[in-house]
Amino acid sequence: CVGKFRCSSSRCISSTAQCDGHVDCEHGEDELSCVRVSGKSSVLQVLSEGVWSTVCSEDWDPELGFSACKQLGYSRSGSEVLRGVRGRLFLKLEKLLLHFFLLLIDTVSVRSCSVWSAQCGSRPQFSTRIVGGNLSLEGQFPWQVSLQFQNEHLCGGSIVATRWILTAAHCVYGFAFPQVWTVLVGLTEQPVSVSGAKYLSVEKIIYHARYRPKGLDYDIALLKLVEPLAFNGLVEPICLPNFGEEFEDGKMCWISGWGRLRMGVSLHSARVPLISAKACSQPEVYQGYISPGMICAGYLEGGTDSCQGDSGGPLACEDSSVWKLVGATSWGQGCAERNKPGVYTRITQALTWIHQQMEVRKKYGD
């Protein structure tokens, strides 16, 4: 299928047939992932004739925004069925793209997906900035969840939509049975000490098909909840980054979790800088192990790091008062050791997979 699109049945179709409004693959995967939000400016783009093109903002309305959000896997409720880019959205975008207007969408339109996915990346019940401390307060990381395996904390995770939790594949690989898992939201201490904390049942667990337990790449998984979450300030989603969005080396971000859990322990957090792939690949650090799908964060001198029990939890960065999920805690040598910073799954490299899982399961009612 060199130069072509491969269907799940291994059938090859022309790349220009992808996202043309006509289903050519048996399972319709050629009409998935046809919309993306790209770059730091959050430009909406659609795939047309094998090329990603920027959408003109003229004649934009909420219905088109809603259709675009549904194509990304978001919707107002979990029961709605995705219609894809066909219909009015496809026809109108196609007409606009013929004019090749490379205009940015109005800010309100750009944030449509955030609005319909419950205005991600905000902390409405937290205003205090912690300096030099590591105990987290209620509402400081409202997207943080605890993944409970047979009622015991095993890993962390992040809320990315009303029914979706993002975590690490190594947390669930080998025992991806929904009935033995629960998701605990809205808490800072374990055992649960606040009335707002809730246990939620899991409907489905999906880990990346290319993840292998002896490997370190593709360490990402999604948990679909049985019922959608109600966002209330203590429980909020974190934004996914945009396609192609870059986060500069040295940017200060936050990690959080219940690593090395003990009875009565609180949610801990730490402020850590992002480390360049070049620095993280030095011979004395992780030479040969850092792939494009990974991002490092922490201090080469050691002292602050994620640890066992933090796996799958968020590496969150604030960008213009909006919090984005830059990484998911994946691996590291020891905890807080010199020249052994934390390594995280790079979310920007996994966006296509994330949106595909959310979209295809909405489209086919899975």
Side-chain angles (χ1 to χ4, degrees), residues 111-124:
R111 290 194 62 78
S112 293
C113 292
S114 295
V115 171
W116 282 309
S117 62
Q119 194 63 47
C120 66
S122 63
R123 306 190 297 184

Side-chain angles (χ1 to χ4, degrees), residues 152-174:
E152 290 189 10
H153 172 84
L154 187 64
C155 281
S158 302
I159 302 168
V160 294
T162 54
R163 293 185 65 184
W164 292 99
I165 307 298
L166 189 149
T167 188
H170 76 259
C171 289
V172 297
Y173 187 87

Side-chain angles (χ1 to χ4, degrees), residues 21 31 63 66-67 70-71 80-90 359 362-363:
E31 297 303 312
E63 183 182 342
F66 184 43
S67 296
K70 291 175 74 177
Q71 177 72 25
E80 291 182 284
V81 179
L82 176 70
R83 291 192 296 271
V85 293
R86 283 168 287 177
R88 199 164 86 84
L89 173 66
F90 178 77
E359 181 186 351
K362 189 177 295 298
K363 184 171 185 176

Side-chain angles (χ1 to χ4, degrees), residues 96-115:
L96 292 170
L97 289 170
L98 289 175
H99 293 85
F100 295 102
F101 288 136
L102 299 180
L103 301 176
L104 298 183
I105 299 171
D106 178 270
T107 302
V108 175
S109 298
V110 169
R111 290 194 62 78
S112 293
C113 292
S114 295
V115 171

Side-chain angles (χ1 to χ4, degrees), residues 123-136:
R123 306 190 297 184
Q125 292 200 19
F126 181 81
S127 59
T128 304
R129 183 176 293 275
I130 301 294
V131 179
N134 65 355
L135 287 180
S136 303

Side-chain angles (χ1 to χ4, degrees), residues 276-290 296:
S276 69
K278 180 179 180 180
C280 205
S281 298
Q282 294 178 29
E284 66 273 21
V285 188
Y286 290 129
Q287 183 181 29
Y289 289 100
I290 304 303
C296 300

Side-chain angles (χ1 to χ4, degrees), residues 49-313:
E49 298 185 351
V51 177
W52 285 102
S53 301
T54 302
V55 178
C56 173
S57 62
E58 292 182 0
D59 296 329
W60 191 265
D61 60 35
E63 183 182 342
L64 287 176
F66 184 43
S67 296
C69 292
K70 291 175 74 177
Q71 177 72 25
L72 288 169
Y74 299 110
S75 71
R76 293 179 190 270
S77 70
S79 61
E80 291 182 284
V81 179
L82 176 70
R83 291 192 296 271
V85 293
R86 283 168 287 177
R88 199 164 86 84
L89 173 66
F90 178 77
L91 294 174
K92 198 160 188 176
L93 293 185
E94 184 181 57
K95 179 180 178 182
L96 292 170
L97 289 170
L98 289 175
H99 293 85
F100 295 102
F101 288 136
L102 299 180
L103 301 176
L104 298 183
I105 299 171
D106 178 270
T107 302
V108 175
S109 298
V110 169
R111 290 194 62 78
S112 293
C113 292
S114 295
V115 171
W116 282 309
S117 62
Q119 194 63 47
C120 66
S122 63
R123 306 190 297 184
Q125 292 200 19
F126 181 81
S127 59
T128 304
R129 183 176 293 275
I130 301 294
V131 179
N134 65 355
L135 287 180
S136 303
L137 302 179
E138 288 185 7
Q140 188 178 5
F141 302 104
W143 43 80
Q144 172 83 51
V145 306
S146 168
L147 302 187
Q148 307 260 320
F149 179 74
Q150 295 181 336
N151 299 318
E152 290 189 10
H153 172 84
L154 187 64
C155 281
S158 302
I159 302 168
V160 294
T162 54
R163 293 185 65 184
W164 292 99
I165 307 298
L166 189 149
T167 188
H170 76 259
C171 289
V172 297
Y173 187 87
F175 42 104
F177 309 109
Q179 62 271 21
V180 299
W181 289 91
T182 52
V183 175
L184 193 52
V185 303
L187 77 160
T188 57
E189 294 188 6
Q190 296 199 48
V192 180
S193 62
V194 292
S195 58
K198 293 183 178 179
Y199 288 90
L200 302 166
S201 299
V202 177
E203 177 181 305
K204 183 173 288 292
I205 299 173
I206 314 117
Y207 55 82
H208 201 291
R210 296 182 68 179
Y211 173 75
R212 295 293 180 271
K214 292 184 178 180
L216 300 172
D217 242 331
Y218 306 103
D219 191 11
I220 189 169
L222 286 167
L223 279 69
K224 186 178 183 181
L225 302 176
V226 172
E227 298 292 337
L229 285 164
F231 300 138
N232 57 15
L234 295 179
V235 177
E236 298 286 341
I238 188 169
C239 295
L240 293 172
N242 299 331
F243 283 87
E245 187 171 7
E246 299 290 339
F247 296 90
E248 66 273 15
D249 302 332
K251 182 177 179 64
M252 299 302 294
C253 301
W254 286 84
I255 52 177
S256 52
W258 292 274
R260 290 187 172 176
L261 183 66
R262 301 180 304 277
M263 291 297 290
V265 75
S266 296
L267 177 66
H268 278 61
S269 58
R271 197 164 175 254
V272 293
L274 301 183
I275 301 175
S276 69
K278 180 179 180 180
C280 205
S281 298
Q282 294 178 29
E284 66 273 21
V285 188
Y286 290 129
Q287 183 181 29
Y289 289 100
I290 304 303
S291 73
M294 303 174 190
I295 187 170
C296 300
Y299 299 90
L300 294 182
E301 61 268 28
T304 302
D305 195 8
S306 50
C307 203
Q308 286 81 14
D310 293 328
S311 290

